[in-house]
Amino acid sequence: METTLSTKQQLLVAATNLLDQGGPGAVTLRAVGDKVGVSQTAPYRHFKDKRDLLEAIARDTFNEVSENLVNAAGRANSPLGALRIAVREYLELARRYPLRHRLLFDISEEGGLRAEARRAFESVEALVAAAQQAGELHEGDSSRISAVICSTVHGLAKLERLGDLGAPSVLKDGDALSLFFIDLIARRGEEAARAEALT
């Protein structure tokens, strides 16, 4: 059974497509209205201005990130496996929709979407805490470990987005580097180091 999108949802889909194709400059309430085929005033019934519309796009993207983080636990054999899936899917989203990814942090840096950012962070923290309880990650402050994971993965995504602007080739493989990083903070890395020291 097909679900008919509301006018607001149609406007949001159109705005997201415009963003993907041409960046924030391409997203105007008039252009969005034209895409959907409504009057020039119709978008203003749902969004105050362009900033409000861009925030709505970023909010949807943040919610998608959070849903991926929550769902990762059900698709992995272990909490650490769920963390790896979540990291990989975040990088995939950043690659597939680079302009949405940039918008997330542009809006956040301006003080918007705090609740959505908090929800995404808490989802990461829940994965970290589960991995710690399973003995798969080092003990310690789960908030700090989560902050390091988030900042590292975001940095890797940004480096990939910069492409060939002089970055060493090793910095362009976000997937390999993110998995390497997760292995560094996994407990088995510590156990392997101890075993090697004894040989």
Side-chain angles (χ1 to χ4, degrees):
M1 181 178 175
E2 292 187 5
T3 302
T4 303
L5 295 178
S6 67
T7 300
K8 183 174 183 177
Q9 289 171 322
Q10 291 180 56
L11 292 168
L12 190 53
V13 169
T16 302
N17 289 336
L18 286 169
L19 175 71
D20 289 340
Q21 294 162 12
V27 181
T28 66
L29 289 168
R30 180 171 184 171
V32 169
D34 288 345
K35 276 273 189 184
V36 175
V38 295
S39 69
Q40 291 183 14
T41 59
Y44 289 93
R45 299 189 194 112
H46 304 281
F47 304 99
K48 291 183 295 186
D49 50 27
K50 176 175 178 172
R51 160 80 185 201
D52 192 33
L53 182 56
L54 289 173
E55 277 201 11
I57 297 171
R59 185 175 295 107
D60 268 7
T61 306
F62 253 133
N63 289 337
E64 182 178 349
V65 169
S66 295
E67 286 171 15
N68 287 343
L69 288 166
V70 170
N71 294 336
R75 291 181 283 119
N77 296 324
S78 68
L80 187 62
L83 192 56
R84 288 195 178 99
I85 288 173
V87 166
R88 184 179 70 243
E89 290 187 348
Y90 178 83
L91 289 171
E92 287 174 358
L93 184 144
R95 286 186 200 113
R96 194 179 311 121
Y97 305 115
L99 294 171
R100 292 188 213 177
H101 181 254
R102 177 181 292 180
L103 180 66
L104 283 182
F105 294 92
D106 287 347
I107 296 288
S108 296
E109 286 170 7
E110 294 169 7
L113 304 176
R114 291 182 180 177
E116 289 76 14
R118 168 54 59 182
R119 180 184 170 213
F121 181 79
E122 287 173 350
S123 298
V124 174
E125 192 173 5
L127 290 176
V128 168
Q132 288 178 314
Q133 290 172 6
E136 297 175 328
L137 280 185
H138 288 290
E139 296 177 358
D141 187 331
S142 61
S143 293
R144 288 189 176 187
I145 293 172
S146 301
V148 171
I149 291 172
C150 290
S151 57
T152 299
V153 175
H154 171 58
L156 290 172
K158 190 169 184 179
L159 281 170
E160 280 198 358
R161 194 173 70 227
L162 291 174
D164 297 323
L165 299 180
S169 59
V170 70
L171 294 178
K172 298 172 188 174
D173 189 349
D175 288 319
L177 287 174
S178 63
L179 291 176
F180 176 71
F181 171 68
I182 296 297
D183 283 343
L184 282 178
I185 63 174
R187 284 190 67 87
R188 63 187 180 84
E190 180 182 44
E191 291 163 1
R194 287 176 180 170
E196 187 177 341
L198 293 173
T199 58

